Amino acid sequence: MTTLRAGWVITQRDLAHWVRQPWMPVFGLLFSIMLLLVFGFLFGGAITVPGGGDYISFLLPGMLALSMMFGVETTATAMANDARKGITDRFRSMPIGSASVALGRVGADMVNSAVELLVLIVGGLLIGWRISSDPASVALAVLVLLLLRFAVLWIGIFVGLAFRGEGATMAVQVLVWPIGFLSTAIVSAETMPAWLGAIAAWNPLSATASAARQLFGNPTGITEGPLADGAVWLALGWPVVLTAVFLPLSARAYRRLRG
């Protein structure tokens, strides 16, 4: 069996698990919706967008980017559980390529991510968010969002294989929350202290959020800095760099895995 075919079989296996036990992806989606409602309607009235514009229009693309990053926890937990229970060892004993297990996990998570993104976009439109750009720009915005998810999935796979058990979940939580909120997903970097705003501006999540805002035709909250003109290029470049780093690390962690 080829690596791609084996990966597709494992993708179907992971999707079948979600069909029978859909609570984890459903709760993940509800969590993203809750954050959107809390920041959009509870705190949004106190937040101004540099350069002008409606805060909901500014927030929505940022929340889409943030939801793509939060998916790393599900990936890390699933990989850690399979490794701890010996399921990964059984896969390793089969005549399939060593990349099949990771590809299967990535495939299933990307399907889930696409569905989650669609639901959030529809939900955003229902609460008043509007897209004011052409279809090609919208398609590119969706692409950069999914590209971020693809990159962080390899981080999740590496963490899940390297820190099995509860350690994987703890490691991802420590990683995701500071990176997620130290970005321009929720507020503009220009409203932060200068040193903190500089860090937030170079966050990979900020590049994706800013690129999505530009491509959807929404307020960016940017008047200067690296994200003013190069957000789309940064949003394409950061995931490539992250994948180039963590895909080999994931492969190495898989090869060194012991029951």
Side-chain angles (χ1 to χ4, degrees):
M1 184 180 291
T2 65
T3 298
L4 289 178
R5 180 170 175 78
W8 171 240
V9 171
I10 296 173
T11 294
Q12 292 176 301
R13 170 245 181 192
D14 291 334
L15 291 174
H17 283 179
W18 282 336
V19 170
R20 290 194 296 268
Q21 298 177 339
W23 303 117
M24 183 170 288
V26 168
F27 283 143
L29 179 59
L30 290 176
F31 178 71
S32 296
I33 293 174
M34 180 193 71
L35 284 181
L36 172 61
L37 295 176
V38 167
F39 282 99
F41 295 103
L42 187 60
F43 301 144
I47 299 176
T48 58
V49 180
D54 177 62
Y55 180 66
I56 290 291
S57 297
F58 171 86
L59 176 66
L60 225 300
M63 288 305 306
L64 295 178
L66 196 61
S67 69
M68 293 296 97
M69 174 164 281
F70 280 156
V72 69
E73 185 173 343
T74 301
T75 304
T77 301
M79 292 298 293
N81 287 339
D82 281 354
R84 188 176 67 252
K85 294 175 181 177
I87 296 172
T88 304
D89 287 331
R90 279 179 242 163
F91 285 138
R92 293 176 70 216
S93 68
M94 296 178 181
I96 60 176
S98 59
S100 299
V101 177
L103 288 176
R105 185 73 235 176
V106 168
D109 280 350
M110 289 303 292
V111 171
N112 176 59
S113 302
V115 173
E116 181 180 358
L117 199 56
L118 176 62
V119 172
L120 289 174
I121 287 174
V122 171
L125 293 171
L126 290 176
I127 64 172
W129 175 54
R130 293 294 177 263
I131 297 171
S132 56
S133 60
D134 58 272
S137 296
V138 173
L140 184 56
V142 172
L143 175 63
V144 298
L145 289 164
L146 291 175
L147 191 60
L148 175 67
R149 181 62 159 252
F150 180 81
V152 300
L153 288 179
W154 290 107
I155 301 176
I157 290 171
F158 169 69
V159 172
L161 293 174
F163 302 93
R164 284 176 280 175
E166 297 298 326
T169 302
M170 293 293 294
V172 170
Q173 289 175 345
V174 170
L175 176 72
V176 167
W177 285 94
I179 292 177
F181 286 102
L182 184 53
S183 71
T184 63
I186 296 173
V187 295
S188 171
E190 296 180 17
T191 65
M192 305 176 189
W195 64 273
L196 195 62
I199 296 173
W202 287 103
N203 186 330
L205 178 60
S206 297
T208 298
S210 298
R213 290 180 181 119
Q214 292 177 8
L215 293 167
F216 282 129
N218 295 144
T220 63
I222 303 170
T223 60
E224 59 184 5
L227 296 177
D229 299 313
V232 174
W233 290 110
L234 286 171
L236 294 172
W238 269 119
V240 172
V241 172
L242 293 174
T243 302
V245 171
F246 284 96
L247 194 156
L249 288 176
S250 299
R252 182 183 179 191
Y254 183 82
R255 288 194 299 267
R256 297 179 63 182
L257 191 63
R258 294 294 182 266

